[in-house]
Amino acid sequence: MTATDSRPPLALALSRTADAVATYIDDAITRSGAPGERLASAMRHATLAGGKRLRPFLVVESAALFGISAARAMPAAAALECIHCYSLVHDDLPAMDNDDLRRGRPTVHRAYDEATAILAGDALLTLAFEILAGEEADEDPAARLALVASLARAAGVAGMIGGQMLDLAAEGRFAQGPLHRVPLDLPAPAIIELQAMKTGALLRQACEAGALLGRAGPAERASLDRYARAVGRAFQIADDLLDVEGEASLVGKAVGKDAAAGKATLVGTLGIEGARAELARLTGEAEAALAGFGSAATLLVEAAYFVADRRN
C-alpha cells in the first residue's frame, strides 16, 4: 500500500487492518512459547493465509467511532481473529465439514495432520484469551474482564459453539434408529436463530468489543448491536449464496457442499431470489442502525454492502 494507492477507502481500510492484525498475531504466536516449530507453523498456516479480516475490521472501526486508535483496538481485534481462525480449523476437520481447501490453500489437517490441526485450533483459542487478559488490551482491568467475558460468551455454548451443534443436528447427524443423516426441515425462524449463533455471534462481538474499548453508552451500544445483527445475517446469506453460485477457484474452498450435506440455510428455504431480497433488506437495516453516528460510520455502512455483494 502506497501514498498513491487508488483503491476505495473501504478496500484500503480492510487491507490496513488485515496487515496489522496479521503482524500482531504473528508476534503473539512467537511470544506464546509454542514448543517446537510444528505447532507454531500450523497456527500460522491457520491465521496468516489472508482472508478479509472482517471481524477485526469491525472491532477497529467500531472503536474508532469513540476516538480509539487502531493500535489500541488491535489486541481485541487479534483475539477475535484467533477465535475465528481456530473455529475454521476445527470446522474443516473430517468429523465436521471435511474440507480440503481454505482460502485457496490446503486446510490445516491436510497440510499437517488431524492431531496437529486440533491442537493448533486449541492453541489459537487459548491464545485469544491470553491476549485479552494482557495490559495491552486495555489499561483498565475491569474493561479487560468485560472483553474476556464478551468473547467467551460469543464463542461458547450460547454463541458460535452452540450454533455449530445446532447446525450438525440440522444435518441429521444425531438421528436415532435405522435412518441416519436425514436433514431436519427447519422453518426460517429456527434457521435464523442457528445462524445468529454460529456466524452472527462473533460479528456482534466485534462491534461490542469496539464499544467496550470506547466506553460507549447504552444507546450507542444498542445501535451497534442492531447493525451487527443485520450484518451477521447478511454475511451468512451471502456465504450460502456463494456455496450455490460461486466458483471454488474464486471462493477459495469447495462449493455446493451445503445442499449435499443437508445444511439448513435461508437460501434453501427462501430460494435464491428470496435470499437476495432479504440481503437487500438487511443492508438497509444495518445502515439505518448507524444513522446516529453520521459520517463517522461511513466505512461501517460500506462494509455492510460489501458483505452482501462479496464474491469470495
Side-chain angles (χ1 to χ4, degrees):
M1 187 170 62
T2 68
T4 59
D5 199 316
S6 60
R7 286 177 293 176
L10 177 62
L12 288 171
L14 284 165
S15 177
R16 187 165 51 243
T17 298
D19 290 345
V21 79
T23 297
Y24 194 99
I25 292 174
D26 191 21
D27 290 345
I29 291 171
T30 299
R31 297 193 304 266
S32 69
E37 178 56 29
R38 188 174 183 83
L39 180 58
S41 176
M43 293 167 71
R44 289 189 169 93
H45 186 94
T47 55
L48 305 182
K52 293 173 288 297
R53 310 291 190 189
L54 177 65
R55 292 156 190 81
F57 169 84
L58 292 177
V59 176
V60 169
E61 292 303 321
S62 295
L65 293 175
F66 309 102
I68 303 300
S69 70
R72 284 185 58 196
M74 197 49 56
L80 177 54
E81 187 67 1
C82 284
I83 293 287
H84 174 56
C85 291
Y86 120 75
S87 76
L88 298 182
V89 174
H90 285 190
D91 272 355
D92 291 336
L93 289 167
M96 297 284 283
D97 287 346
N98 194 24
D99 276 315
D100 295 334
L101 287 176
R102 172 69 64 180
R103 294 168 177 162
R105 303 200 310 170
T107 49
V108 177
H109 71 277
R110 291 300 183 194
Y112 296 85
D113 57 81
E114 288 184 40
T116 300
I118 291 169
L119 292 176
D122 291 344
L124 290 171
L125 166 63
T126 49
L127 180 60
F129 293 103
E130 182 179 344
I131 291 170
L132 276 189
E135 290 187 2
E136 278 190 7
D138 197 288
E139 68 277 5
D140 183 355
R144 296 200 298 273
L145 179 60
L147 287 166
V148 166
S150 169
L151 187 55
R153 283 193 301 270
V157 295
M160 180 184 69
I161 293 298
Q164 288 174 319
M165 192 67 176
L166 291 176
D167 192 40
L168 292 177
E171 291 179 24
R173 293 283 191 105
F174 313 120
Q176 301 296 315
L179 296 178
H180 295 280
R181 298 298 293 270
V182 178
L184 303 180
D185 187 15
L186 294 183
I191 295 173
I192 290 170
E193 179 183 8
L194 181 164
Q195 294 181 342
M197 295 169 68
K198 181 186 175 186
T199 302
L202 291 189
L203 290 164
R204 287 179 63 197
Q205 199 279 332
C207 292
E208 182 176 22
L212 287 170
L213 289 167
R215 310 301 193 262
E220 295 163 322
R221 291 183 62 173
S223 294
L224 276 169
D225 190 61
R226 288 195 300 275
Y227 165 83
R229 283 178 183 270
V231 168
R233 287 182 60 187
F235 184 95
Q236 186 61 64
I237 293 173
D239 199 59
D240 294 340
L241 283 167
L242 281 174
D243 188 73
V244 174
E245 301 178 317
E247 298 179 21
S249 60
L250 297 177
V251 176
K253 60 181 180 179
V255 296
K257 294 191 67 175
D258 288 353
K263 284 188 177 293
T265 71
L266 285 177
V267 175
T269 300
L270 302 177
I272 290 177
E273 292 308 312
R276 292 197 181 284
E278 180 65 0
L279 263 182
R281 189 191 69 78
L282 288 166
T283 51
E285 185 177 312
E287 182 173 5
L290 298 182
F293 293 103
S295 61
T298 296
L299 285 178
L300 287 172
V301 171
E302 290 181 3
Y305 287 91
F306 167 78
V307 162
D309 293 338
R310 65 196 182 95
R311 296 290 180 266
N312 56 43

